[in-house]
Structures are given as C-alpha cells and as structure tokens.
Amino acid sequence: MNYPSNPTGQTFSRDELEVLAAVAREHQLIVISDEIYGELHHTGAHGSIAEFYPEGTILSAGLSKWCGAGGWRLGTFLFPPQLRWLRDAMTAVASETYTTTSAPIQCAAVTAFACGPDIDDYLVHARDILRALGTWSSEKLVAAGARCHRPEGGFYLFPDFSGHAQRLQARGIADGDALCARLLAETGVAILPGSDFGRPKGDWTARLAYVDFDGERALAEHARDATVDEAWLRRVTPRVTTALDRMCDWLVRG
C-alpha cells in the first residue's frame, strides 16, 4: 500500500484503513505500508493501517519526500515484533547489497527524525502550500475537460484525458503515451503517461508532479503571507502555473 499515493495524490480514510486491516488479519497477510508521503497529508490528518493491524504491518518511509529532500535517499522500515524473523532476513540481504548512507544524509536524518518545533513549522507551511497548489492545479485541469481528483496529500495528480480522446486522435495522438510526447515537444511541459504506472497501453491517464518551484522562497513567502490564492501561486510557483496554463490551452485549443 502507498498512501498518500504516488501517482494519484489520494489516500485512505480511517474507516477504509480499518476495513482493510480486518481483511488483512482474516487472511493473515503481511502488509507493507509505504507512508513516505504521510507527513505531507494536506491537512496533517494522515492515518496508518498499522494502528488497526500492528502485528502484520511493515511501515516504510524515508527522508526524500516529506522533507523536500529529493535525492537524499535514506529509507526506513519499521517491523512489529511478530515479524522480527523477516526483518533479520532483510537485514542480511541488505548487508550484501549496500554499505552505508553518506555522512551528510545521516546528519540530515538525525535532525529530521528528531522532529521538534522547526520541523513542525516546516510541515505546516509545506502542507498549506501543497494543498493550495494541488487544489488549484486539479481545478484547472477539470475546467479544461480532464477528469482529475483533488489531491489529499503528497504532490501528484493523475488526470484522465479520455474526454479529449476523439479530438486528440484527430490530431494524430493515439493514446496517453503519444499525448505526453507531443505535449513535451509542443509546449515544453513534461508529464508521465499512465502506462508508466501500470495502466494499460492506450490509456489516456498521466501523472503530473506539481513541485517545480523554489521551495525555500515559497516557505519564506508563506511565512510572511499565508494567504495562498491564485495570485500568490502565480507569483511564487510560476513554473507550475505556467505549465498548467500551457497544458490546458494545448488541450482545449490544439
């Protein structure tokens, strides 16, 4: 399980997690719960299936996503006592696969995992910015005729462009893979086709990441002015808003 999800930005409610946990327990499943985007739940309300099925859940997380530290790859697994045998086996395999994480990343991890007021403050600002930008982006796509759920966490959208399929095919664009290639060539906007995420060939979905902006500037601006409206987004996250403008205009006008 991966939630909030890459690629959709969706997550599970506590009620849904409780039902899933009951099924997992009934069938004695081992659940790997990838919650690397959990701290970026847009309202800070992330819940874990481990609360309802602790004995069978392995929690997976890491620095690179919720800390906004792309490339700083330090992952974590948390095993319950009942699965210590599996933890020990994975540790043995890992010891023959890699050695250690670089010293700068280890130092960053000490600060991040210690939490504290600075980390809490960062997350408050980051969640608010991502919530506003994700909502604006999804609404922009819907207004242009795409199907797109409003994201609940993380920083991804998974729009479905099938409503434009007939018009796109008339332009020689056969499917989502071709859509992404033509969009890049004609507008300079890069998104990934749904087929890269397990969707069938011929599908009209794509994944969009809305974090192409200066995070340090955005955090500073948000600390000064927490009113994140469209004008704020266009001023502080111009690459994302410009990309959405270009994409939507390309879809609608050809």
PDB file of all heavy atoms in Angstrom, residues 153-188:
ATOM      1  N   GLY A 153      -2.875  14.535  -0.467  1.00  0.00           N
ATOM      2  CA  GLY A 153      -1.558  14.514   0.147  1.00  0.00           C
ATOM      3  C   GLY A 153      -0.483  14.377  -0.907  1.00  0.00           C
ATOM      4  O   GLY A 153      -0.765  14.115  -2.078  1.00  0.00           O
ATOM      5  N   GLY A 154       0.765  14.554  -0.509  1.00  0.00           N
ATOM      6  CA  GLY A 154       1.856  14.459  -1.463  1.00  0.00           C
ATOM      7  C   GLY A 154       1.840  15.616  -2.441  1.00  0.00           C
ATOM      8  O   GLY A 154       1.382  16.717  -2.137  1.00  0.00           O
ATOM      9  N   PHE A 155       2.301  15.344  -3.684  1.00  0.00           N
ATOM     10  CA  PHE A 155       2.359  16.427  -4.671  1.00  0.00           C
ATOM     11  C   PHE A 155       2.192  15.900  -6.103  1.00  0.00           C
ATOM     12  O   PHE A 155       2.898  16.315  -7.016  1.00  0.00           O
ATOM     13  CB  PHE A 155       3.677  17.213  -4.542  1.00  0.00           C
ATOM     14  CG  PHE A 155       4.891  16.363  -4.217  1.00  0.00           C
ATOM     15  CD1 PHE A 155       5.529  15.606  -5.183  1.00  0.00           C
ATOM     16  CD2 PHE A 155       5.396  16.355  -2.926  1.00  0.00           C
ATOM     17  CE1 PHE A 155       6.647  14.857  -4.882  1.00  0.00           C
ATOM     18  CE2 PHE A 155       6.525  15.598  -2.599  1.00  0.00           C
ATOM     19  CZ  PHE A 155       7.153  14.854  -3.578  1.00  0.00           C
ATOM     20  N   TYR A 156       1.238  14.975  -6.258  1.00  0.00           N
ATOM     21  CA  TYR A 156       0.975  14.405  -7.577  1.00  0.00           C
ATOM     22  C   TYR A 156      -0.506  14.505  -7.945  1.00  0.00           C
ATOM     23  O   TYR A 156      -1.380  14.490  -7.075  1.00  0.00           O
ATOM     24  CB  TYR A 156       1.369  12.929  -7.606  1.00  0.00           C
ATOM     25  CG  TYR A 156       2.823  12.660  -7.316  1.00  0.00           C
ATOM     26  CD1 TYR A 156       3.197  12.007  -6.145  1.00  0.00           C
ATOM     27  CD2 TYR A 156       3.819  13.047  -8.205  1.00  0.00           C
ATOM     28  CE1 TYR A 156       4.533  11.751  -5.869  1.00  0.00           C
ATOM     29  CE2 TYR A 156       5.154  12.795  -7.940  1.00  0.00           C
ATOM     30  CZ  TYR A 156       5.511  12.148  -6.768  1.00  0.00           C
ATOM     31  OH  TYR A 156       6.824  11.909  -6.501  1.00  0.00           O
ATOM     32  N   LEU A 157      -0.749  14.556  -9.253  1.00  0.00           N
ATOM     33  CA  LEU A 157      -2.088  14.440  -9.812  1.00  0.00           C
ATOM     34  C   LEU A 157      -2.056  13.346 -10.868  1.00  0.00           C
ATOM     35  O   LEU A 157      -1.020  13.079 -11.478  1.00  0.00           O
ATOM     36  CB  LEU A 157      -2.526  15.758 -10.468  1.00  0.00           C
ATOM     37  CG  LEU A 157      -2.664  16.979  -9.570  1.00  0.00           C
ATOM     38  CD1 LEU A 157      -2.930  18.227 -10.417  1.00  0.00           C
ATOM     39  CD2 LEU A 157      -3.795  16.782  -8.571  1.00  0.00           C
ATOM     40  N   PHE A 158      -3.215  12.741 -11.112  1.00  0.00           N
ATOM     41  CA  PHE A 158      -3.307  11.665 -12.109  1.00  0.00           C
ATOM     42  C   PHE A 158      -4.521  11.934 -13.006  1.00  0.00           C
ATOM     43  O   PHE A 158      -5.529  11.241 -12.935  1.00  0.00           O
ATOM     44  CB  PHE A 158      -3.441  10.313 -11.402  1.00  0.00           C
ATOM     45  CG  PHE A 158      -3.032   9.142 -12.251  1.00  0.00           C
ATOM     46  CD1 PHE A 158      -1.732   9.013 -12.705  1.00  0.00           C
ATOM     47  CD2 PHE A 158      -3.948   8.143 -12.570  1.00  0.00           C
ATOM     48  CE1 PHE A 158      -1.350   7.914 -13.470  1.00  0.00           C
ATOM     49  CE2 PHE A 158      -3.573   7.050 -13.332  1.00  0.00           C
ATOM     50  CZ  PHE A 158      -2.267   6.927 -13.782  1.00  0.00           C
ATOM     51  N   PRO A 159      -4.426  12.967 -13.856  1.00  0.00           N
ATOM     52  CA  PRO A 159      -5.573  13.321 -14.690  1.00  0.00           C
ATOM     53  C   PRO A 159      -5.853  12.282 -15.774  1.00  0.00           C
ATOM     54  O   PRO A 159      -4.945  11.590 -16.248  1.00  0.00           O
ATOM     55  CB  PRO A 159      -5.162  14.655 -15.313  1.00  0.00           C
ATOM     56  CG  PRO A 159      -3.663  14.637 -15.284  1.00  0.00           C
ATOM     57  CD  PRO A 159      -3.284  13.875 -14.047  1.00  0.00           C
ATOM     58  N   ASP A 160      -7.117  12.217 -16.149  1.00  0.00           N
ATOM     59  CA  ASP A 160      -7.584  11.340 -17.221  1.00  0.00           C
ATOM     60  C   ASP A 160      -8.083  12.237 -18.351  1.00  0.00           C
ATOM     61  O   ASP A 160      -9.015  13.018 -18.171  1.00  0.00           O
ATOM     62  CB  ASP A 160      -8.720  10.449 -16.693  1.00  0.00           C
ATOM     63  CG  ASP A 160      -9.289   9.517 -17.751  1.00  0.00           C
ATOM     64  OD1 ASP A 160      -8.884   9.628 -18.931  1.00  0.00           O
ATOM     65  OD2 ASP A 160     -10.151   8.694 -17.410  1.00  0.00           O
ATOM     66  N   PHE A 161      -7.449  12.125 -19.511  1.00  0.00           N
ATOM     67  CA  PHE A 161      -7.762  12.986 -20.649  1.00  0.00           C
ATOM     68  C   PHE A 161      -8.667  12.312 -21.668  1.00  0.00           C
ATOM     69  O   PHE A 161      -8.760  12.760 -22.810  1.00  0.00           O
ATOM     70  CB  PHE A 161      -6.468  13.433 -21.332  1.00  0.00           C
ATOM     71  CG  PHE A 161      -5.541  14.199 -20.437  1.00  0.00           C
ATOM     72  CD1 PHE A 161      -4.385  13.609 -19.937  1.00  0.00           C
ATOM     73  CD2 PHE A 161      -5.815  15.510 -20.077  1.00  0.00           C
ATOM     74  CE1 PHE A 161      -3.531  14.300 -19.107  1.00  0.00           C
ATOM     75  CE2 PHE A 161      -4.954  16.221 -19.247  1.00  0.00           C
ATOM     76  CZ  PHE A 161      -3.807  15.615 -18.765  1.00  0.00           C
ATOM     77  N   SER A 162      -9.352  11.239 -21.271  1.00  0.00           N
ATOM     78  CA  SER A 162     -10.167  10.492 -22.242  1.00  0.00           C
ATOM     79  C   SER A 162     -11.301  11.335 -22.821  1.00  0.00           C
ATOM     80  O   SER A 162     -11.771  11.055 -23.924  1.00  0.00           O
ATOM     81  CB  SER A 162     -10.734   9.222 -21.587  1.00  0.00           C
ATOM     82  OG  SER A 162     -11.487   9.529 -20.438  1.00  0.00           O
ATOM     83  N   GLY A 163     -11.720  12.369 -22.104  1.00  0.00           N
ATOM     84  CA  GLY A 163     -12.745  13.251 -22.645  1.00  0.00           C
ATOM     85  C   GLY A 163     -12.285  13.993 -23.887  1.00  0.00           C
ATOM     86  O   GLY A 163     -13.112  14.479 -24.662  1.00  0.00           O
ATOM     87  N   HIS A 164     -10.976  14.078 -24.070  1.00  0.00           N
ATOM     88  CA  HIS A 164     -10.412  14.737 -25.255  1.00  0.00           C
ATOM     89  C   HIS A 164      -9.937  13.719 -26.296  1.00  0.00           C
ATOM     90  O   HIS A 164      -9.312  14.111 -27.282  1.00  0.00           O
ATOM     91  CB  HIS A 164      -9.222  15.611 -24.854  1.00  0.00           C
ATOM     92  CG  HIS A 164      -9.588  16.861 -24.115  1.00  0.00           C
ATOM     93  ND1 HIS A 164     -10.044  17.999 -24.747  1.00  0.00           N
ATOM     94  CD2 HIS A 164      -9.576  17.151 -22.795  1.00  0.00           C
ATOM     95  CE1 HIS A 164     -10.284  18.944 -23.858  1.00  0.00           C
ATOM     96  NE2 HIS A 164     -10.018  18.444 -22.657  1.00  0.00           N
ATOM     97  N   ALA A 165     -10.202  12.431 -26.053  1.00  0.00           N
ATOM     98  CA  ALA A 165      -9.616  11.384 -26.891  1.00  0.00           C
ATOM     99  C   ALA A 165      -9.929  11.581 -28.381  1.00  0.00           C
ATOM    100  O   ALA A 165      -9.033  11.477 -29.235  1.00  0.00           O
ATOM    101  CB  ALA A 165     -10.101  10.016 -26.432  1.00  0.00           C
ATOM    102  N   GLN A 166     -11.186  11.860 -28.699  1.00  0.00           N
ATOM    103  CA  GLN A 166     -11.556  11.981 -30.113  1.00  0.00           C
ATOM    104  C   GLN A 166     -10.831  13.146 -30.775  1.00  0.00           C
ATOM    105  O   GLN A 166     -10.301  13.004 -31.897  1.00  0.00           O
ATOM    106  CB  GLN A 166     -13.070  12.158 -30.235  1.00  0.00           C
ATOM    107  CG  GLN A 166     -13.575  12.105 -31.671  1.00  0.00           C
ATOM    108  CD  GLN A 166     -15.103  12.089 -31.734  1.00  0.00           C
ATOM    109  OE1 GLN A 166     -15.788  12.065 -30.722  1.00  0.00           O
ATOM    110  NE2 GLN A 166     -15.633  12.110 -32.947  1.00  0.00           N
ATOM    111  N   ARG A 167     -10.769  14.271 -30.103  1.00  0.00           N
ATOM    112  CA  ARG A 167     -10.089  15.435 -30.665  1.00  0.00           C
ATOM    113  C   ARG A 167      -8.590  15.186 -30.769  1.00  0.00           C
ATOM    114  O   ARG A 167      -7.942  15.593 -31.741  1.00  0.00           O
ATOM    115  CB  ARG A 167     -10.360  16.667 -29.806  1.00  0.00           C
ATOM    116  CG  ARG A 167     -11.820  17.107 -29.792  1.00  0.00           C
ATOM    117  CD  ARG A 167     -12.071  18.302 -28.882  1.00  0.00           C
ATOM    118  NE  ARG A 167     -11.338  19.462 -29.312  1.00  0.00           N
ATOM    119  CZ  ARG A 167     -10.274  19.964 -28.684  1.00  0.00           C
ATOM    120  NH1 ARG A 167      -9.824  19.370 -27.579  1.00  0.00           N
ATOM    121  NH2 ARG A 167      -9.657  21.025 -29.139  1.00  0.00           N
ATOM    122  N   LEU A 168      -8.029  14.524 -29.773  1.00  0.00           N
ATOM    123  CA  LEU A 168      -6.602  14.243 -29.811  1.00  0.00           C
ATOM    124  C   LEU A 168      -6.258  13.256 -30.922  1.00  0.00           C
ATOM    125  O   LEU A 168      -5.245  13.410 -31.614  1.00  0.00           O
ATOM    126  CB  LEU A 168      -6.148  13.698 -28.453  1.00  0.00           C
ATOM    127  CG  LEU A 168      -6.159  14.709 -27.299  1.00  0.00           C
ATOM    128  CD1 LEU A 168      -6.006  14.001 -25.949  1.00  0.00           C
ATOM    129  CD2 LEU A 168      -5.045  15.739 -27.467  1.00  0.00           C
ATOM    130  N   GLN A 169      -7.099  12.236 -31.101  1.00  0.00           N
ATOM    131  CA  GLN A 169      -6.857  11.275 -32.186  1.00  0.00           C
ATOM    132  C   GLN A 169      -6.925  11.960 -33.537  1.00  0.00           C
ATOM    133  O   GLN A 169      -6.174  11.603 -34.463  1.00  0.00           O
ATOM    134  CB  GLN A 169      -7.873  10.138 -32.085  1.00  0.00           C
ATOM    135  CG  GLN A 169      -7.596   9.200 -30.912  1.00  0.00           C
ATOM    136  CD  GLN A 169      -8.720   8.222 -30.644  1.00  0.00           C
ATOM    137  OE1 GLN A 169      -9.873   8.472 -31.011  1.00  0.00           O
ATOM    138  NE2 GLN A 169      -8.422   7.130 -29.968  1.00  0.00           N
ATOM    139  N   ALA A 170      -7.800  12.938 -33.664  1.00  0.00           N
ATOM    140  CA  ALA A 170      -7.890  13.690 -34.921  1.00  0.00           C
ATOM    141  C   ALA A 170      -6.609  14.486 -35.184  1.00  0.00           C
ATOM    142  O   ALA A 170      -6.310  14.817 -36.339  1.00  0.00           O
ATOM    143  CB  ALA A 170      -9.095  14.630 -34.886  1.00  0.00           C
ATOM    144  N   ARG A 171      -5.854  14.753 -34.126  1.00  0.00           N
ATOM    145  CA  ARG A 171      -4.572  15.450 -34.259  1.00  0.00           C
ATOM    146  C   ARG A 171      -3.413  14.467 -34.386  1.00  0.00           C
ATOM    147  O   ARG A 171      -2.246  14.837 -34.337  1.00  0.00           O
ATOM    148  CB  ARG A 171      -4.349  16.356 -33.047  1.00  0.00           C
ATOM    149  CG  ARG A 171      -5.317  17.527 -32.974  1.00  0.00           C
ATOM    150  CD  ARG A 171      -5.424  18.124 -31.586  1.00  0.00           C
ATOM    151  NE  ARG A 171      -4.170  18.627 -31.049  1.00  0.00           N
ATOM    152  CZ  ARG A 171      -4.020  19.131 -29.824  1.00  0.00           C
ATOM    153  NH1 ARG A 171      -5.079  19.179 -29.012  1.00  0.00           N
ATOM    154  NH2 ARG A 171      -2.854  19.579 -29.416  1.00  0.00           N
ATOM    155  N   GLY A 172      -3.746  13.170 -34.548  1.00  0.00           N
ATOM    156  CA  GLY A 172      -2.716  12.150 -34.713  1.00  0.00           C
ATOM    157  C   GLY A 172      -2.107  11.674 -33.418  1.00  0.00           C
ATOM    158  O   GLY A 172      -1.019  11.087 -33.413  1.00  0.00           O
ATOM    159  N   ILE A 173      -2.811  11.890 -32.305  1.00  0.00           N
ATOM    160  CA  ILE A 173      -2.328  11.475 -30.986  1.00  0.00           C
ATOM    161  C   ILE A 173      -3.145  10.267 -30.564  1.00  0.00           C
ATOM    162  O   ILE A 173      -4.336  10.380 -30.262  1.00  0.00           O
ATOM    163  CB  ILE A 173      -2.466  12.624 -29.973  1.00  0.00           C
ATOM    164  CG1 ILE A 173      -1.656  13.850 -30.461  1.00  0.00           C
ATOM    165  CG2 ILE A 173      -2.001  12.183 -28.596  1.00  0.00           C
ATOM    166  CD1 ILE A 173      -1.892  15.101 -29.645  1.00  0.00           C
ATOM    167  N   ALA A 174      -2.517   9.086 -30.546  1.00  0.00           N
ATOM    168  CA  ALA A 174      -3.265   7.836 -30.421  1.00  0.00           C
ATOM    169  C   ALA A 174      -3.627   7.472 -28.990  1.00  0.00           C
ATOM    170  O   ALA A 174      -4.632   6.796 -28.752  1.00  0.00           O
ATOM    171  CB  ALA A 174      -2.458   6.695 -31.050  1.00  0.00           C
ATOM    172  N   ASP A 175      -2.803   7.874 -28.007  1.00  0.00           N
ATOM    173  CA  ASP A 175      -3.032   7.433 -26.625  1.00  0.00           C
ATOM    174  C   ASP A 175      -2.247   8.320 -25.670  1.00  0.00           C
ATOM    175  O   ASP A 175      -1.641   9.325 -26.090  1.00  0.00           O
ATOM    176  CB  ASP A 175      -2.627   5.971 -26.457  1.00  0.00           C
ATOM    177  CG  ASP A 175      -1.194   5.688 -26.915  1.00  0.00           C
ATOM    178  OD1 ASP A 175      -0.361   6.617 -26.909  1.00  0.00           O
ATOM    179  OD2 ASP A 175      -0.900   4.529 -27.266  1.00  0.00           O
ATOM    180  N   GLY A 176      -2.255   7.947 -24.391  1.00  0.00           N
ATOM    181  CA  GLY A 176      -1.589   8.758 -23.392  1.00  0.00           C
ATOM    182  C   GLY A 176      -0.085   8.861 -23.585  1.00  0.00           C
ATOM    183  O   GLY A 176       0.512   9.906 -23.286  1.00  0.00           O
ATOM    184  N   ASP A 177       0.548   7.805 -24.070  1.00  0.00           N
ATOM    185  CA  ASP A 177       1.985   7.866 -24.334  1.00  0.00           C
ATOM    186  C   ASP A 177       2.284   8.924 -25.390  1.00  0.00           C
ATOM    187  O   ASP A 177       3.199   9.748 -25.228  1.00  0.00           O
ATOM    188  CB  ASP A 177       2.495   6.500 -24.806  1.00  0.00           C
ATOM    189  CG  ASP A 177       2.526   5.475 -23.698  1.00  0.00           C
ATOM    190  OD1 ASP A 177       1.457   5.212 -23.112  1.00  0.00           O
ATOM    191  OD2 ASP A 177       3.608   4.928 -23.424  1.00  0.00           O
ATOM    192  N   ALA A 178       1.506   8.906 -26.466  1.00  0.00           N
ATOM    193  CA  ALA A 178       1.704   9.889 -27.530  1.00  0.00           C
ATOM    194  C   ALA A 178       1.349  11.289 -27.047  1.00  0.00           C
ATOM    195  O   ALA A 178       1.986  12.276 -27.434  1.00  0.00           O
ATOM    196  CB  ALA A 178       0.852   9.506 -28.747  1.00  0.00           C
ATOM    197  N   LEU A 179       0.330  11.385 -26.195  1.00  0.00           N
ATOM    198  CA  LEU A 179      -0.061  12.683 -25.647  1.00  0.00           C
ATOM    199  C   LEU A 179       1.107  13.315 -24.900  1.00  0.00           C
ATOM    200  O   LEU A 179       1.424  14.499 -25.104  1.00  0.00           O
ATOM    201  CB  LEU A 179      -1.266  12.511 -24.717  1.00  0.00           C
ATOM    202  CG  LEU A 179      -1.849  13.752 -24.045  1.00  0.00           C
ATOM    203  CD1 LEU A 179      -3.332  13.560 -23.762  1.00  0.00           C
ATOM    204  CD2 LEU A 179      -1.133  14.096 -22.733  1.00  0.00           C
ATOM    205  N   CYS A 180       1.762  12.543 -24.040  1.00  0.00           N
ATOM    206  CA  CYS A 180       2.871  13.084 -23.261  1.00  0.00           C
ATOM    207  C   CYS A 180       4.032  13.506 -24.157  1.00  0.00           C
ATOM    208  O   CYS A 180       4.681  14.539 -23.910  1.00  0.00           O
ATOM    209  CB  CYS A 180       3.331  12.064 -22.222  1.00  0.00           C
ATOM    210  SG  CYS A 180       2.106  11.755 -20.931  1.00  0.00           S
ATOM    211  N   ALA A 181       4.302  12.721 -25.188  1.00  0.00           N
ATOM    212  CA  ALA A 181       5.398  13.038 -26.099  1.00  0.00           C
ATOM    213  C   ALA A 181       5.103  14.325 -26.875  1.00  0.00           C
ATOM    214  O   ALA A 181       5.974  15.199 -26.998  1.00  0.00           O
ATOM    215  CB  ALA A 181       5.636  11.874 -27.060  1.00  0.00           C
ATOM    216  N   ARG A 182       3.888  14.458 -27.375  1.00  0.00           N
ATOM    217  CA  ARG A 182       3.526  15.653 -28.140  1.00  0.00           C
ATOM    218  C   ARG A 182       3.436  16.884 -27.245  1.00  0.00           C
ATOM    219  O   ARG A 182       3.818  17.991 -27.636  1.00  0.00           O
ATOM    220  CB  ARG A 182       2.196  15.413 -28.859  1.00  0.00           C
ATOM    221  CG  ARG A 182       2.299  14.533 -30.098  1.00  0.00           C
ATOM    222  CD  ARG A 182       2.772  15.319 -31.335  1.00  0.00           C
ATOM    223  NE  ARG A 182       1.756  16.259 -31.758  1.00  0.00           N
ATOM    224  CZ  ARG A 182       0.713  15.953 -32.543  1.00  0.00           C
ATOM    225  NH1 ARG A 182       0.546  14.698 -32.979  1.00  0.00           N
ATOM    226  NH2 ARG A 182      -0.158  16.875 -32.913  1.00  0.00           N
ATOM    227  N   LEU A 183       2.912  16.696 -26.040  1.00  0.00           N
ATOM    228  CA  LEU A 183       2.820  17.809 -25.101  1.00  0.00           C
ATOM    229  C   LEU A 183       4.206  18.370 -24.809  1.00  0.00           C
ATOM    230  O   LEU A 183       4.409  19.600 -24.799  1.00  0.00           O
ATOM    231  CB  LEU A 183       2.155  17.349 -23.809  1.00  0.00           C
ATOM    232  CG  LEU A 183       1.974  18.405 -22.720  1.00  0.00           C
ATOM    233  CD1 LEU A 183       0.935  19.435 -23.132  1.00  0.00           C
ATOM    234  CD2 LEU A 183       1.564  17.746 -21.398  1.00  0.00           C
ATOM    235  N   LEU A 184       5.165  17.496 -24.588  1.00  0.00           N
ATOM    236  CA  LEU A 184       6.533  17.928 -24.324  1.00  0.00           C
ATOM    237  C   LEU A 184       7.112  18.654 -25.535  1.00  0.00           C
ATOM    238  O   LEU A 184       7.708  19.732 -25.407  1.00  0.00           O
ATOM    239  CB  LEU A 184       7.399  16.733 -23.954  1.00  0.00           C
ATOM    240  CG  LEU A 184       8.889  17.018 -23.721  1.00  0.00           C
ATOM    241  CD1 LEU A 184       9.084  18.005 -22.564  1.00  0.00           C
ATOM    242  CD2 LEU A 184       9.642  15.715 -23.439  1.00  0.00           C
ATOM    243  N   ALA A 185       6.925  18.073 -26.720  1.00  0.00           N
ATOM    244  CA  ALA A 185       7.504  18.650 -27.930  1.00  0.00           C
ATOM    245  C   ALA A 185       6.893  20.004 -28.274  1.00  0.00           C
ATOM    246  O   ALA A 185       7.585  20.905 -28.756  1.00  0.00           O
ATOM    247  CB  ALA A 185       7.321  17.679 -29.100  1.00  0.00           C
ATOM    248  N   GLU A 186       5.594  20.165 -28.038  1.00  0.00           N
ATOM    249  CA  GLU A 186       4.893  21.366 -28.499  1.00  0.00           C
ATOM    250  C   GLU A 186       4.726  22.447 -27.438  1.00  0.00           C
ATOM    251  O   GLU A 186       4.463  23.600 -27.780  1.00  0.00           O
ATOM    252  CB  GLU A 186       3.521  20.961 -29.052  1.00  0.00           C
ATOM    253  CG  GLU A 186       3.638  20.055 -30.278  1.00  0.00           C
ATOM    254  CD  GLU A 186       2.291  19.591 -30.817  1.00  0.00           C
ATOM    255  OE1 GLU A 186       1.247  20.144 -30.408  1.00  0.00           O
ATOM    256  OE2 GLU A 186       2.291  18.661 -31.661  1.00  0.00           O
ATOM    257  N   THR A 187       4.875  22.089 -26.154  1.00  0.00           N
ATOM    258  CA  THR A 187       4.703  23.092 -25.101  1.00  0.00           C
ATOM    259  C   THR A 187       5.873  23.163 -24.131  1.00  0.00           C
ATOM    260  O   THR A 187       5.975  24.117 -23.358  1.00  0.00           O
ATOM    261  CB  THR A 187       3.427  22.817 -24.268  1.00  0.00           C
ATOM    262  OG1 THR A 187       3.628  21.653 -23.452  1.00  0.00           O
ATOM    263  CG2 THR A 187       2.215  22.621 -25.159  1.00  0.00           C
ATOM    264  N   GLY A 188       6.735  22.144 -24.118  1.00  0.00           N
ATOM    265  CA  GLY A 188       7.823  22.102 -23.155  1.00  0.00           C
ATOM    266  C   GLY A 188       7.408  21.603 -21.783  1.00  0.00           C
ATOM    267  O   GLY A 188       8.196  21.656 -20.839  1.00  0.00           O
TER     268      GLY A 188
END
